[in-house]
Amino acid sequence: MTDDTQPRRPPTLDEVLQEGPPLIEPQNDDDNDDAFTAGGPGCVIWSLVILMLGIISLMIVVMAGAAGWTQGQRVAQRTVSAAELYFVETQYPAIQTDVADLNYELLATRMAFLATRTPGVPQMDVLRATETAVYLNVTATSRSVINQQLTLIPQNLAEGDRPQAEQRLAFLATQTPGVAELPALQATATAYRTSPTTTPTPLQAAPTPTPPGGFDLPTLFTQAQQEFSIGAYADAYNTLDLIRRVDPNFNRTAVEALLHQVLIAQARPLYNVNLSADPSNPGTLAEAIRLTDLAEQYGSIDDLAYERDIATLYLNAITAIDAGNHDVAIRRLQVILTYQSTYKGADLNRLLFNEYVAYGDAWALEYNWCQAEQQYQQALTLFSDPSVSGKRNNARDLCQQGQTAPTTNPNLPPNETPVAPIGVPGT
């Protein structure tokens, strides 16, 4: 039996104390670091992660900025459009003033501005007709004055009244377009200017005093009365206007009384329009209102006051309809309906029905189904219509479901949001 196979005796206490406790080698920290490092993502991976997070953050910032800029552009565009619409609307009362004053130059400037607006300004055809009427009126008046001067210049030269002739020639030289007869008259005046001056003999009759401005105002007033009596109202107005321009105080009461009659006679038939075929075309109503306003400056307009007020309300309603301003159009039509249900053949209830439907459609484009339902319901109180009933029912269902605008609309271009037309609050 060897020493390995012999049972070993446990060490005694003295032996254990003598040898000491077993030594345990300390663990190397570097080995732990290597083991941890070998199991982690590493510096390169962490760098890539941080880089990707930075790129994503930058993209979020850029996209948010682009979205804000786009929204700001839309708001700015709507603000500019609203401001431009307000500026265009302010031209209407200014145009009425220009027409009343026969200020054709300023009127033409305003019309040229309105002609450049996009979309087109409502009632441009009516405004152009009024502009043409003013031009013809001014032209006729100017030509009448020119003809008077052409007649009086030879008389002044024959009577030796050269200063008066020179003044008339200077006036004709300022006219645009030029007066065709002016060169011949200027040559005649030059010949008189260079000829010896003759002294009248004591027995020569003194020249008759020239009426104010060289016009025979009593004769002109008689002419205006004759023109009025035969129904030549435009000619009578031009003649009376010439009298007032030459001498505003000449027989003032009689001149203004005749002017009042002439303007009433001109305005009354212009209210007789038929709107049954095309309610959106008011025809001569604008000119009738203008003439009535002028007539009121010289006396009572009696029954034409009501005609003018209703025509003004109707024109304002049609203007709002053409501009797509449904809310304003509805309110204006409701005012007229408090007086009458039809106007010159136009069914005002049908116009109001159409505006309620159009207003509902505008709200539907904004996905405001509750407001759309209210407008459709208002329309159905006027007339029964299956199509409108279907729109009302659909809007009611979507309103109860709380349906809102989808994130994308297939009917709109990319990156565009629906904008309600003019007249929808909040836009």
Side-chain angles (χ1 to χ4, degrees):
M1 182 177 297
T2 63
D3 291 339
D4 294 334
T5 61
Q6 293 296 325
R8 299 188 62 181
R9 177 180 56 80
T12 65
L13 180 59
D14 294 336
E15 293 175 346
V16 171
L17 293 174
Q18 186 178 0
E19 294 179 2
L23 297 176
I24 301 176
E25 295 183 1
Q27 189 172 6
N28 193 337
D29 292 339
D30 293 337
D31 295 340
N32 291 337
D33 291 343
D34 292 341
F36 177 77
T37 302
C43 295
V44 175
I45 300 299
W46 279 113
S47 299
L48 293 175
V49 170
I50 293 173
L51 179 61
M52 290 299 296
L53 289 175
I55 293 175
I56 293 173
S57 300
L58 181 60
M59 290 177 63
I60 292 174
V61 172
V62 171
M63 292 175 66
W69 181 83
T70 303
Q71 184 65 22
Q73 286 288 96
R74 293 174 186 151
V75 173
Q77 184 62 36
R78 288 198 292 269
T79 302
V80 170
S81 299
E84 183 172 350
L85 177 63
Y86 172 78
F87 183 68
V88 168
E89 289 183 346
T90 59
Q91 300 303 309
Y92 291 113
I95 285 176
Q96 293 179 357
T97 302
D98 296 338
V99 170
D101 296 340
L102 293 180
N103 190 343
Y104 177 74
E105 289 76 12
L106 190 53
L107 174 62
T109 301
R110 297 186 194 280
M111 292 295 298
F113 163 76
L114 293 179
T116 63
R117 299 303 92 190
T118 303
V121 176
Q123 308 303 324
M124 275 300 292
D125 292 340
V126 176
L127 293 175
R128 289 191 183 281
T130 303
E131 179 190 11
T132 302
V134 172
Y135 172 77
L136 294 176
N137 198 328
V138 172
T139 302
T141 302
S142 299
R143 190 63 207 180
S144 177
V145 174
I146 290 172
N147 289 338
Q148 290 280 349
Q149 304 302 314
L150 293 175
T151 302
L152 293 172
I153 287 174
Q155 296 178 10
N156 295 147
L157 293 174
E159 295 168 357
D161 190 356
R162 295 176 186 174
Q164 183 68 33
E166 293 290 347
Q167 291 180 7
R168 298 186 192 281
L169 288 170
F171 166 76
L172 293 179
T174 63
Q175 300 305 301
T176 303
V179 180
E181 299 87 346
L182 181 60
L185 289 174
Q186 288 175 330
T188 302
T190 302
Y192 271 92
R193 190 183 303 116
T194 57
S195 63
T197 303
T198 59
T199 303
T201 64
L203 298 177
Q204 186 176 358
T208 304
T210 305
F215 297 99
D216 188 351
L217 298 185
T219 301
L220 287 176
F221 183 70
T222 302
Q223 175 184 332
Q225 291 176 315
Q226 294 173 349
E227 291 167 340
F228 174 73
S229 65
I230 63 175
Y233 302 129
D235 294 336
Y237 178 84
N238 291 335
T239 303
L240 291 169
D241 185 64
L242 177 60
I243 293 173
R244 293 176 66 249
R245 290 174 183 272
V246 173
D247 185 0
N249 296 317
F250 170 78
N251 203 3
R252 184 165 185 169
T253 302
V255 168
E256 291 185 351
L258 186 56
L259 260 176
H260 177 260
Q261 297 178 43
V262 168
L263 290 168
I264 291 292
Q266 283 184 292
R268 191 178 298 279
L270 297 181
Y271 286 106
N272 298 327
V273 296
N274 187 349
L275 303 175
S276 58
D278 185 8
S280 64
N281 183 9
T284 56
L285 289 180
E287 180 66 7
I289 293 171
R290 183 186 74 84
L291 293 173
T292 305
D293 290 340
L294 288 176
E296 194 174 29
Q297 298 177 15
Y298 305 108
S300 173
I301 55 177
D302 299 326
D303 60 306
L304 287 187
Y306 179 80
E307 284 279 8
R308 178 190 61 185
D309 293 344
I310 296 298
T312 301
L313 287 171
Y314 186 80
L315 281 179
N316 290 339
I318 293 299
T319 300
I321 291 173
D322 291 343
N325 199 336
H326 309 297
D327 182 42
V328 173
I330 288 171
R331 286 188 275 113
R332 289 175 177 174
L333 288 171
Q334 287 173 336
V335 173
I336 306 177
L337 282 166
T338 60
Y339 299 100
Q340 54 195 72
S341 60
T342 61
Y343 180 68
K344 308 296 182 183
D347 187 342
L348 300 179
N349 283 311
R350 177 60 65 178
L351 289 175
L352 183 59
F353 171 85
N354 294 337
E355 282 306 291
Y356 275 129
V357 174
Y359 202 14
D361 292 342
W363 282 117
L365 286 175
E366 280 286 282
Y367 300 95
N368 195 327
W369 304 111
C370 298
Q371 288 287 349
E373 178 200 355
Q374 294 178 16
Q375 303 307 319
Y376 293 140
Q377 183 59 44
Q378 290 290 340
L380 291 171
T381 61
L382 297 172
F383 297 101
S384 176
D385 188 288
S387 174
V388 178
S389 296
K391 292 182 178 182
R392 188 269 317 272
N393 296 337
N394 181 59
R396 176 186 298 164
D397 294 340
L398 294 174
C399 174
Q400 293 174 351
Q401 298 171 12
Q403 181 71 36
T404 58
T407 55
T408 59
N409 187 340
N411 297 323
L412 294 174
N415 301 324
E416 287 290 338
T417 57
V419 178
I422 298 170
V424 177
T427 60

